[in-house]
């Protein structure tokens, strides 16, 4: 008899986006003449940079001729891309990462989900609250969450991110083994400073813990004092794996390319205390289960590291940041406290009260779709996430409608 993974039934159905879709559908049926503006889901809206399109076309042409055709490539990614990443994303910022510590993949979502396959089933997992739900659900699937108990999993350690701590988690009081950190954060938009990250690295070194650092939104950081990589922090090479993505950096959500960094100094331990290289384990896992990102897509990713490419991706994130600034200043002018939006494409608005009630109010009265914060965790109650991924025209109109609705 084929039996199911006993942990899957513990998963809470992801009602968030389904619920939003149902409410939006009902609104559209009731008001077919009122066009909605969607500032909910975090998908990019602007087309790929010109350099990427050119690189894609050229690579596709190479595939058309036997002399330049490419079949299977290296599972970890072509050297031309891994070397460009090591040089530009790390070396240029004083972080020592070798090209062979970089594993190119088809998404940070897969990487953050797959990495925990390397850890024992009973390691204690810490996640922030609110949180990008993939960290939680993949640990539920692996049997590390314990049972669902009303509004949380009994076996996870939750690190509250609230107005009181500026939405940056404090160190846990009980010991944990794996810590998921995301900066700039989805959904709160909060960014961790060097000093804050240093505390976590020191904690991980002291307790032989591991930090899984999700830097999917690093391209939105503008303050040169803020770390864009955890490897800018002393000691991080021993205790941190970092995830990056071209999805938000360069509009690759539909093209798919990302990478994970697993330094050779990073260790996990066997029951008898023998250290094991996580780089060796991830190499084994990645090369066993993954056959590489397609050649044209890797060429498109490489293209963003040219001077022209850097200008084009900068213009993309500048555009979204401009939207975020309009959103933030609009809500502040209406008297709402906000975080995010200055170094991230998300603005986290402290609405107080019930997040779904605020969602309904924006939908019904302004025709604007946002995301209720409670969908990301208990501490998201009383907040909504507004995404800057839209055209500036839509954002301006949305903020005019929101101002009229909330003042009324
Ligand atoms: N990490 C975070 C924090 C995200 O918000 C997202 C996407 O929204 C991802 C990872 C997924 O990135 P990718 O498109 O590379 O799978």
């Amino acid at each position: 008899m084929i039996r199911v993974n006993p942990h899957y039934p513990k998963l809470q159905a992801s009602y968030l986006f389904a619920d939003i879709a149902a409410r939006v559908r009902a609104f559209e049926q009731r008001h077919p003449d009122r066009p909605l503006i969607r500032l909910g889901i975090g998908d990019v809206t602007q087309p790929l940079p010109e350099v990427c399109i050119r690189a894609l076309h050229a690579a596709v042409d190479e595939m058309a001729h036997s002399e330049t055709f490419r079949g299977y490539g290296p599972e970890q990614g072509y050297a031309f891309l891994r070397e460009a990443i090591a040089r530009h994303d790390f070396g240029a910022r004083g972080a020592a990462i070798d090209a062979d510590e970089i594993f190119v993949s088809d998404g940070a979502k897969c990487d953050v989900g797959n990495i925990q396959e390397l850890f024992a089933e009973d390691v204690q997992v810490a996640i922030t609250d609110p949180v990008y739900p993939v960290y939680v659900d993949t640990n539920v699937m692996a049997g590390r969450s314990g049972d669902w108990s009303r509004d949380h999993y009994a076996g996870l350690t939750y690190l509250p991110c609230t107005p009181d701590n500026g939405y940056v988690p404090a160190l846990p009081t009980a010991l944990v083994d794996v810590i998921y950190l995301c900066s700039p954060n989805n959904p709160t938009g909060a960014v961790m400073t060097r000093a804050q990250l240093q505390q976590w690295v020191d904690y991980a070194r002291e307790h032989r813990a591991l930090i899984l650092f999700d830097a999917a939104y690093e391209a939105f950081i503008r303050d040169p004092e803020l770390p864009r990589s955890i490897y800018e922090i002393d000691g991080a090479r021993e205790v941190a794996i970092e995830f990056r993505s071209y999805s938000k950096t360069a509009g690759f959500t539909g093209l798919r390319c990302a990478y994970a960094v697993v330094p050779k100094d990073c260790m996990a331990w066997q029951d008898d205390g023998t250290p094991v290289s996580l780089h060796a384990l991830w190499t084994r896992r990645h090369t066993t289960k993954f056959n590489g990102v397609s050649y044209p897509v890797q060429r498109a990713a490489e293209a963003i590291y040219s001077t022209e490419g850097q200008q084009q991706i900068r213009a993309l994130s500048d555009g979204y940041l401009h939207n975020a600034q309009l959103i933030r200043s609009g809500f502040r002018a209406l008297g709402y406290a906000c975080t995010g939006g200055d170094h991230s494409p998300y603005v986290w608005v402290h609405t107080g009260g019930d997040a779904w009630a605020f969602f309904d109010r924006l939908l019904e009265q302004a025709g604007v779709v946002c995301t209720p914060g409670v969908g990301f965790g208990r501490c998201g109650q009383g907040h909504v996430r507004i995404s800057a991924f839209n055209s500036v025209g839509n954002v301006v109109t949305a903020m005019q409608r929101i101002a009229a609705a909330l003042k009324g």
Side-chain angles (χ1 to χ4, degrees):
M1 180 174 69
I2 174 70
R3 292 166 56 243
V4 295
N5 176 335
H7 305 301
Y8 270 60
K10 295 179 203 161
L11 285 166
Q12 297 306 295
S14 179
Y15 292 124
L16 177 62
F17 290 107
D19 261 15
I20 293 174
R23 290 177 197 223
V24 167
R25 249 191 330 273
F27 176 91
E28 287 177 325
Q29 275 162 9
R30 273 184 281 114
H31 306 288
D33 51 333
R34 282 183 62 193
L36 281 175
I37 299 178
R38 292 163 202 272
L39 302 180
I41 294 177
D43 195 0
V44 295
T45 54
Q46 302 307 308
L48 287 168
E50 178 63 36
V51 285
C52 299
I53 298 296
R54 282 206 306 266
L56 280 169
H57 281 298
V60 170
D61 285 343
E62 283 182 58
M63 298 297 257
H65 302 284
S66 51
E67 312 80 58
T68 46
F69 169 78
R70 312 250 182 161
Y72 288 125
E75 292 96 336
Q76 299 98 320
Y78 284 100
F80 63 75
L81 179 56
R82 298 169 88 198
E83 282 163 12
I85 292 169
R87 225 175 17 253
H88 289 270
D89 289 349
F90 298 100
R93 296 193 60 83
I97 293 296
D98 288 339
D100 65 354
E101 294 174 316
I102 289 157
F103 298 78
V104 177
S105 78
D106 60 358
K109 185 179 192 175
C110 320
D111 287 342
V112 293
N114 290 330
I115 195 80
Q116 39 87 35
E117 235 182 76
L118 305 188
F119 315 135
E121 189 175 317
D122 58 356
V123 294
Q124 186 63 38
V125 176
I127 51 134
T128 57
D129 177 8
V131 71
Y132 177 53
V134 175
Y135 313 151
V136 177
D137 287 352
T138 51
N139 278 290
V140 175
M141 292 170 179
R144 282 191 205 95
S145 64
D147 287 330
W148 179 252
S149 164
R150 205 168 67 86
D151 57 2
H152 68 286
Y153 286 100
L156 296 180
T157 299
Y158 289 85
L159 308 169
C161 296
T162 64
D164 292 343
N165 59 20
Y167 304 98
V168 173
L171 296 175
T173 44
L175 285 184
V176 298
D177 305 304
V178 179
I179 303 141
Y180 287 81
L181 296 178
C182 175
S183 177
N185 191 267
N186 178 13
T188 68
V191 190
M192 295 177 80
T193 63
R194 269 172 216 284
Q196 286 162 340
L197 264 185
Q198 186 72 62
Q199 273 194 329
W200 282 98
V201 168
D202 293 346
Y203 173 93
R205 292 178 78 190
E206 184 182 344
H207 300 292
R208 292 198 195 176
L210 181 74
I211 298 170
L212 300 177
F213 188 71
D214 188 337
Y217 296 95
E218 60 76 32
F220 294 86
I221 293 179
R222 289 293 177 271
D223 182 346
E225 291 306 311
L226 290 169
R228 293 172 73 145
S229 165
I230 197 162
Y231 305 116
E232 293 174 41
I233 307 300
D234 283 345
R237 277 185 56 90
E238 292 164 34
V239 290
I241 291 175
E242 181 164 310
F243 304 94
R244 295 271 188 113
S245 170
Y246 296 102
S247 284
K248 310 298 159 78
T249 311
F252 274 45
T253 53
L255 200 58
R256 312 302 305 148
C257 196
Y259 64 86
V261 184
V262 188
K264 292 190 189 130
D265 308 359
C266 238
M267 296 293 152
W269 282 266
Q270 288 180 350
D271 288 347
D272 64 3
T274 311
V276 180
S277 154
L278 284 173
H279 181 272
L281 289 190
W282 188 243
T283 303
R284 189 75 173 91
R285 193 266 171 215
H286 193 78
T287 54
T288 301
K289 292 196 175 181
F290 189 63
N291 246 346
V293 172
S294 75
Y295 173 68
V297 170
Q298 292 193 59
R299 281 292 186 202
E302 180 200 24
I304 73 162
Y305 294 106
S306 62
T307 309
E308 221 185 335
Q310 290 293 293
Q311 285 161 357
Q312 290 176 10
I313 62 164
R314 174 77 181 207
L316 269 184
S317 56
D318 276 351
Y320 293 129
L321 282 172
H322 176 64
N323 291 346
Q325 189 263 324
L326 293 175
I327 295 167
R328 202 181 55 227
S329 58
F331 273 98
R332 283 195 180 146
L334 291 164
Y336 293 91
C338 304
T339 185
D342 33 11
H343 304 288
S344 85
Y346 299 121
V347 179
W348 188 240
V349 185
H350 191 188
T351 59
D354 182 67
W356 276 110
F358 195 86
F359 169 92
D360 285 335
R361 196 169 162 207
L362 283 197
L363 179 64
E364 296 296 331
Q365 295 176 15
V368 173
V369 183
C370 65
T371 311
V374 70
F376 299 101
R378 284 177 292 182
C379 293
Q381 187 54 284
H383 296 78
V384 294
R385 187 191 74 174
I386 313 279
S387 160
F389 291 123
N390 213 311
S391 67
V392 66
N394 277 347
V395 169
V396 168
T397 309
M399 291 316 298
Q400 284 164 352
R401 290 198 209 162
I402 288 171
L406 297 183
K407 273 186 199 147

